[in-house]
Amino acid sequence: MDGKISHKASTADSVVIRFAGDSGDGMQLTGTQFADTSALMGNDVATFPNYPAEIRAPQGSLFGVSGFQVQIADHDITTPGDDLDLLVAMNPAALKTNIKDLPPGKMLIVDADSFTAKNLKKAGYETNPLEDGSLDAYRVIAVPVTTNTRNALLDLGLDNKSMLRSRNMYTLGIIYWIYGRSLDHTIAFFHKKFKNKPKVIEANTRALRAGNIYAENLELIPTTYQVRPAHLGKGRYRIIMGNTATAWGFIAAAKKAGKELFLGSYPITPASDILHELVKHPHFRVKAFQAEDEIAGVTSAIGAAFAGDLAITTTSGPGLALKGEAIGLAMMTELPIVIVDVQRGGPSTGMPTKTEQSDLLQALYGRNGESPIVVMAAHSPADCFDMAFRASKIALEHMTPVLLLTDGYIANGSEPWRIEKLADLPEIKTREPENRDNWMPYRRDKETLARDWAYPGMAGFEHRVGGLEKEEGSGNVNMQPLNHEEMVRIRAEKVRRVAKDLPRLEVEGAREGELLVVGWGGTYGALHSAVQNMQSTGRKVGLAHFNYIHPMPENTADVFARFDKIVVCELNTGQFFKVLQFEQPGHKYYKYNKIQGLPFTVTELTNRFNQILASGHTIEA
Amino acid sequence: MTGEKKYTYKDMASDQEVRWCPGCDDYVILRSVQKALPEIGRNREDIVFISGIGCSSRFPYYMNTYGIHGIHGRAAAIATGVKLANPELSVWVITGDGDGLAIGGNHTIHVIRRNVDLNIILFNNEIYGLTKGQFSPTSLLGQRTKSSPFGNIQPPFNPGELVLGSNGRFFARVSGNSAKEMASIFIEAEKFKGAAFIEVLQNCVIFNDGAFDKYNDKKTRPDNQLYLEHGQKMIFGAERNKGLRLNGLKLEVVTIGENGITEDDILVHDAHNPDPTLHFMLVRLESPIVTGIIRAVEEPTFDQRFTQQMEARMAAVKEMSFDEFVMAGETFELE
């Protein structure tokens, strides 16, 4: 598991969507509107209409399916794309004829109302694919489009057939929200096209808005991340989403440690899918507990860790803020818990469905008092598995809370994951004491400074822990000045020594030279591609992508010293940049930041890298 | 996991010096718990005490069992995690009126709603002690405290109403100076499967001295406190001649031997009645205040339901290793 999977990641600088429905469903119009709106917003667009031969084939039949594919991108594109990122299927026949082009893990939106016995039969389905598990590999969003459209238009006095003509616009409203498109162009289009039919304008506008609001309330997030399988190493793979990989990593860690897995969690976008995944697996002795609030999520995990489970809690930025005090308790009691923060756009409620890396400083410092914990970050959907496993291993072996950062982009993205066998994963050795003679709860391992893990049920090890300052060794309450100073230093040193167990910081591309690109977390795909592009133009550019932020890999200073300039790229205003300037002083730092709720694109990165290479002195971005 | 070891109360005390104010009822509660524990038939290593923050929350440090002194208000949530991790444990929550009803109110109502098998002891002194004398959610209207110099204008909770309103299955109330009653209630709470909530009327000698004198003082108690026992008549009074009867939808204090009232007119306490209507009336009564186990109605506990669902899934799902699990579904081979 050490090091990174060597694959070429191409991030979602482009999106491929196919609208498929009955030939009467208005799919061409829907697709065209999406393409036009995107073009007006500055995207390059390529489209590919696919009409049935018949002008009006029998409704619901396979040969009556009409499709319209559109690729939008921030760079020049020449094709409407190969693999779909999103398939919209207005009926079972549309699903049947198009699903083969949707890779596993991608999003599928269907009109659930159209999956009637009659339509299923026409499409040749023996069982309902929405219910028989055959679509489990996809992110299925089953929306009652027909019902919702009708409800939105009820008081307009239209007949049923006219109302249902706006189903396509309801669906388009959903897609517009997912991809952050403006409704303006399409509404203007209604006014032009239906100039003398105010009711039709009103119906279509309402349907478009209703779909838009529906998607907002569901907080639908696009799946975007994409990796070309051709560049992956040998092995057996499956497509996995980031949040699923996180969940599975914890299950694997619990198995490996011989522990039961406890999750205490409160629903929050975009982290809830980890809870949704773990509640499915009680047969693996996974105990997933939906608590009354974020604080109960983390404190129940602390209780479970005290009682001998591998205990975790999952959340996003606002939830992490609420958990701060309790994480301090876990640090003080030196109990092994893992906190997952699936970052989203902040501050405050911010942009729940958009990605950002702006919780880094909160993760590092967002607690009262001196309370260092281990902070790490996953860099891709599949990497979430490794990082969840690693976080658990560190927590259990070093008796410390570990905070794992992912983000909405990789959590909802998917990519091929090389399937790991339990036997091939590293061992996890937990720290139960055996000898009770003169045993003390804060007795520490000489190398790691980790304390023992004695829990209820173990006779002769009864002890109390708590948030008050401890006496080293006995763990009794102690507020003596020198003891406090010693304890603060021991807790910090214990976390620092985790570095000895970390993999070295690897450099991709040039091993030394002009520019070192530094990133962390979910920006890996874009940074990797950008650095490859730079390499191909002959520039000596390397990439050091951090999975471990506190502590940092021990060879960090050595790596940094080999480059003339360092640019720290983050989806925030420069949080890691700030940390590096303090912890790794003496280098020529630049930064590149984007705070738009969107991932980096390769183009903007390479532009910035070229600018830095051309500049003679340090510039503040 | 029943205990085979025999203990005395001394075995339950840790080596830590108890640091409450002299004369505090907390000492009586501590001693009552230490006396009750040898009777519950559990080994010391299977007992866990969990507290939040406040005077009462120092409690776990004084017990020679497992324990967590948590953070403010969160004891019930921590305890839920302990219980789900190991449902075999005897788990006790120590909290106060500030810890459990103000900052931790949310966890309190939810732990009761879920019916987690815990014993929750609420030290109710109607004041904040550790932070030096501010009003609490159970302080009386008009009460002058450090933070209400002109009188408290926040109407109080009645903990019994809160518990029953949260669909509480077990509620008891007891005087903080009555060691014997407390010990017997603690033993019953431990036997009870579910969230057992015990409100102790605990006198704070420093900041709210005498708050419960009317009910707890030896001289005034008999006429002002009705200690209930399941299956017994609701009779009280220095001369044991007062009792409760229902008059329409109201409880009424009557005197046996007056106005033709006989003992037959007095209500018999039924703590096991699933209908909480009468229990609500009893917890609301102020004169006399009603103590003892007011409600004890067993239902499946949260930890039972949790474990049962887990075991049902284990039985239903064909035994599958992790390796088989990750290989199930669509996979592909790359050279």
Side-chain angles (χ1 to χ4, degrees), chain A residues 169-304:
Chain A
M169 289 303 124
Y170 184 92
T171 313
L172 185 61
I174 295 176
I175 314 296
Y176 274 175
W177 194 84
I178 294 175
Y179 292 102
R181 309 281 114 162
S182 157
L183 308 184
D184 296 348
H185 168 73
T186 298
I187 292 171
F189 164 81
F190 296 152
H191 282 272
K192 215 162 119 194
K193 181 163 168 104
F194 306 115
K195 208 159 51 183
N196 301 318
K197 298 174 181 165
K199 264 198 182 175
V200 179
I201 296 173
E202 174 67 11
N204 280 314
T205 307
R206 270 208 213 177
L208 187 73
R209 288 197 200 282
N212 205 246
I213 291 166
Y214 180 86
E216 179 169 0
N217 289 337
L218 247 63
E219 300 200 322
L220 292 180
I221 307 174
T223 42
T224 40
Y225 198 84
Q226 172 175 327
V227 175
R228 304 271 175 238
H231 300 277
L232 296 166
K234 196 169 177 289
R236 182 155 280 279
Y237 286 81
R238 65 182 301 147
I239 302 293
I240 199 165
M241 277 176 51
N243 273 341
T244 310
T246 303
W248 290 10
F250 285 122
I251 297 176
K255 293 266 162 226
K256 203 73 191 182
K259 293 283 154 199
E260 294 183 351
L261 177 64
F262 178 90
L263 166 70
S265 187
Y266 187 74
I268 184 169
T269 302
S272 305
D273 279 343
I274 304 174
L275 169 66
H276 301 162
E277 180 61 28
L278 286 174
V279 290
K280 289 186 202 160
H281 305 300
H283 55 282
F284 282 138
R285 300 205 69 85
V286 174
K287 297 175 237 178
F289 168 53
Q290 182 178 317
E292 59 271 26
D293 59 26
E294 293 281 358
I295 298 172
V298 61
T299 47
S300 63
I302 290 171

